[in-house]
Short mmCIF file of all heavy atoms in Angstrom, two decimals:
data_model
loop_
_atom_site.label_atom_id
_atom_site.label_comp_id
_atom_site.label_asym_id
_atom_site.label_seq_id
_atom_site.Cartn_x
_atom_site.Cartn_y
_atom_site.Cartn_z
N LEU A 57 -3.50 -13.39 4.59
CA LEU A 57 -3.32 -14.47 3.63
C LEU A 57 -1.83 -14.70 3.31
O LEU A 57 -1.36 -15.85 3.27
CB LEU A 57 -4.09 -14.19 2.35
CG LEU A 57 -5.61 -14.31 2.51
CD1 LEU A 57 -6.32 -13.67 1.32
CD2 LEU A 57 -6.03 -15.77 2.67
N LEU A 61 0.02 -18.22 4.19
CA LEU A 61 0.37 -19.05 3.03
C LEU A 61 1.81 -18.90 2.59
O LEU A 61 2.29 -19.71 1.79
CB LEU A 61 -0.58 -18.74 1.86
CG LEU A 61 -2.01 -19.17 2.06
CD1 LEU A 61 -2.92 -18.59 0.96
CD2 LEU A 61 -2.14 -20.67 2.13
N GLY A 72 -12.92 -7.22 -8.44
CA GLY A 72 -14.37 -7.04 -8.32
C GLY A 72 -14.77 -5.60 -8.18
O GLY A 72 -13.96 -4.67 -8.16
N VAL A 80 -21.38 0.77 -7.94
CA VAL A 80 -22.22 0.06 -7.01
C VAL A 80 -21.71 -1.40 -6.92
O VAL A 80 -21.23 -1.94 -7.90
CB VAL A 80 -23.70 0.13 -7.44
CG1 VAL A 80 -23.95 -0.60 -8.75
CG2 VAL A 80 -24.63 -0.39 -6.37
N VAL A 85 -15.86 -8.12 -0.45
CA VAL A 85 -14.57 -7.85 -1.04
C VAL A 85 -14.04 -9.13 -1.71
O VAL A 85 -13.90 -10.16 -1.07
CB VAL A 85 -13.57 -7.33 0.00
CG1 VAL A 85 -12.16 -7.22 -0.58
CG2 VAL A 85 -14.03 -5.96 0.52
N VAL A 103 -4.92 -24.98 4.81
CA VAL A 103 -4.49 -23.81 5.55
C VAL A 103 -5.61 -22.77 5.58
O VAL A 103 -5.92 -22.18 6.63
CB VAL A 103 -3.20 -23.20 4.95
CG1 VAL A 103 -2.90 -21.84 5.54
CG2 VAL A 103 -2.03 -24.15 5.16
N LEU A 104 -6.26 -22.54 4.44
CA LEU A 104 -7.34 -21.55 4.36
C LEU A 104 -8.52 -21.95 5.22
O LEU A 104 -9.08 -21.14 5.96
CB LEU A 104 -7.75 -21.31 2.92
CG LEU A 104 -6.70 -20.65 2.05
CD1 LEU A 104 -7.11 -20.67 0.58
CD2 LEU A 104 -6.43 -19.22 2.51
N GLY A 108 -10.51 -20.22 8.82
CA GLY A 108 -11.91 -19.78 8.84
C GLY A 108 -12.56 -19.59 7.49
O GLY A 108 -13.73 -19.19 7.41
N GLU A 114 -14.43 -26.00 -6.00
CA GLU A 114 -13.03 -26.31 -6.28
C GLU A 114 -12.91 -27.05 -7.59
O GLU A 114 -13.83 -27.76 -8.01
CB GLU A 114 -12.39 -27.09 -5.15
CG GLU A 114 -12.92 -28.48 -4.97
CD GLU A 114 -12.23 -29.22 -3.81
OE1 GLU A 114 -11.01 -29.05 -3.61
OE2 GLU A 114 -12.92 -29.97 -3.12
N CYS A 115 -11.77 -26.85 -8.23
CA CYS A 115 -11.41 -27.60 -9.42
C CYS A 115 -9.93 -27.92 -9.26
O CYS A 115 -9.05 -27.22 -9.76
CB CYS A 115 -11.67 -26.76 -10.69
SG CYS A 115 -11.32 -27.68 -12.20
N ARG A 118 -7.30 -27.96 -12.12
CA ARG A 118 -6.83 -26.66 -12.63
C ARG A 118 -6.22 -25.81 -11.53
O ARG A 118 -5.80 -24.68 -11.78
CB ARG A 118 -8.01 -25.91 -13.26
CG ARG A 118 -8.48 -26.51 -14.58
CD ARG A 118 -9.30 -25.54 -15.42
NE ARG A 118 -10.27 -24.75 -14.70
CZ ARG A 118 -11.60 -24.94 -14.73
NH1 ARG A 118 -12.10 -25.92 -15.44
NH2 ARG A 118 -12.40 -24.15 -14.05
N ALA A 134 -20.10 -8.62 9.63
CA ALA A 134 -19.81 -7.20 9.32
C ALA A 134 -18.89 -7.07 8.14
O ALA A 134 -18.99 -6.09 7.38
CB ALA A 134 -19.19 -6.53 10.55
N ASP A 148 -7.76 -12.76 -16.27
CA ASP A 148 -9.03 -12.22 -16.74
C ASP A 148 -9.74 -11.36 -15.70
O ASP A 148 -10.32 -10.30 -16.03
CB ASP A 148 -9.97 -13.32 -17.24
CG ASP A 148 -9.61 -13.77 -18.64
OD1 ASP A 148 -8.74 -13.14 -19.29
OD2 ASP A 148 -10.20 -14.76 -19.10
N GLU A 149 -9.74 -11.76 -14.46
CA GLU A 149 -10.40 -10.96 -13.43
C GLU A 149 -9.70 -9.61 -13.25
O GLU A 149 -10.36 -8.59 -13.02
CB GLU A 149 -10.47 -11.74 -12.12
CG GLU A 149 -11.47 -12.88 -12.22
CD GLU A 149 -11.25 -13.97 -11.20
OE1 GLU A 149 -10.12 -14.46 -11.05
OE2 GLU A 149 -12.24 -14.37 -10.58
N ALA A 164 -20.30 2.40 -15.60
CA ALA A 164 -21.68 2.89 -15.41
C ALA A 164 -22.68 1.88 -15.98
O ALA A 164 -23.70 1.58 -15.36
CB ALA A 164 -21.87 4.26 -16.04
N GLN A 165 -22.38 1.35 -17.15
CA GLN A 165 -23.26 0.33 -17.75
C GLN A 165 -23.32 -0.93 -16.87
O GLN A 165 -24.40 -1.50 -16.67
CB GLN A 165 -22.75 -0.06 -19.15
CG GLN A 165 -22.91 1.01 -20.18
CD GLN A 165 -22.20 0.66 -21.48
OE1 GLN A 165 -21.62 -0.41 -21.63
NE2 GLN A 165 -22.21 1.59 -22.42
N ASP A 182 -26.74 -17.66 -8.38
CA ASP A 182 -26.25 -18.29 -9.59
C ASP A 182 -26.79 -17.60 -10.85
O ASP A 182 -26.03 -17.32 -11.78
CB ASP A 182 -26.59 -19.78 -9.63
CG ASP A 182 -25.83 -20.59 -8.58
OD1 ASP A 182 -24.81 -20.09 -8.08
OD2 ASP A 182 -26.26 -21.72 -8.31
N GLN A 186 -24.67 -15.53 -13.60
CA GLN A 186 -24.73 -15.98 -15.00
C GLN A 186 -25.20 -14.84 -15.92
O GLN A 186 -24.69 -14.69 -17.03
CB GLN A 186 -25.66 -17.19 -15.13
CG GLN A 186 -25.74 -17.75 -16.53
CD GLN A 186 -24.39 -18.26 -17.06
OE1 GLN A 186 -23.59 -18.79 -16.29
NE2 GLN A 186 -24.13 -18.08 -18.33
N PHE A 191 -21.67 -9.54 -20.38
CA PHE A 191 -21.07 -8.20 -20.26
C PHE A 191 -19.61 -8.30 -19.83
O PHE A 191 -18.73 -7.64 -20.41
CB PHE A 191 -21.87 -7.37 -19.25
CG PHE A 191 -21.34 -5.97 -19.11
CD1 PHE A 191 -21.79 -4.96 -19.96
CD2 PHE A 191 -20.37 -5.65 -18.18
CE1 PHE A 191 -21.30 -3.66 -19.86
CE2 PHE A 191 -19.88 -4.36 -18.06
CZ PHE A 191 -20.34 -3.37 -18.92
N ARG A 193 -17.52 -10.83 -20.12
CA ARG A 193 -16.71 -11.43 -21.22
C ARG A 193 -16.40 -10.38 -22.30
O ARG A 193 -15.29 -10.30 -22.82
CB ARG A 193 -17.48 -12.61 -21.82
CG ARG A 193 -16.73 -13.42 -22.82
CD ARG A 193 -15.84 -14.45 -22.15
NE ARG A 193 -14.44 -14.00 -22.15
CZ ARG A 193 -13.57 -14.24 -21.21
NH1 ARG A 193 -13.87 -14.93 -20.16
NH2 ARG A 193 -12.34 -13.81 -21.30
N ALA A 199 -10.44 -5.62 -23.37
CA ALA A 199 -9.20 -5.37 -22.63
C ALA A 199 -8.03 -6.13 -23.23
O ALA A 199 -6.91 -5.63 -23.29
CB ALA A 199 -9.38 -5.75 -21.16
#
Side-chain angles (χ1 to χ4, degrees):
L57 289 165
L61 292 170
V80 66
V85 172
V103 169
L104 292 170
E114 67 181 323
C115 184
R118 288 199 318 253
D148 281 353
E149 289 159 310
Q165 290 171 3
D182 291 343
Q186 183 61 36
F191 182 87
R193 187 84 257 146

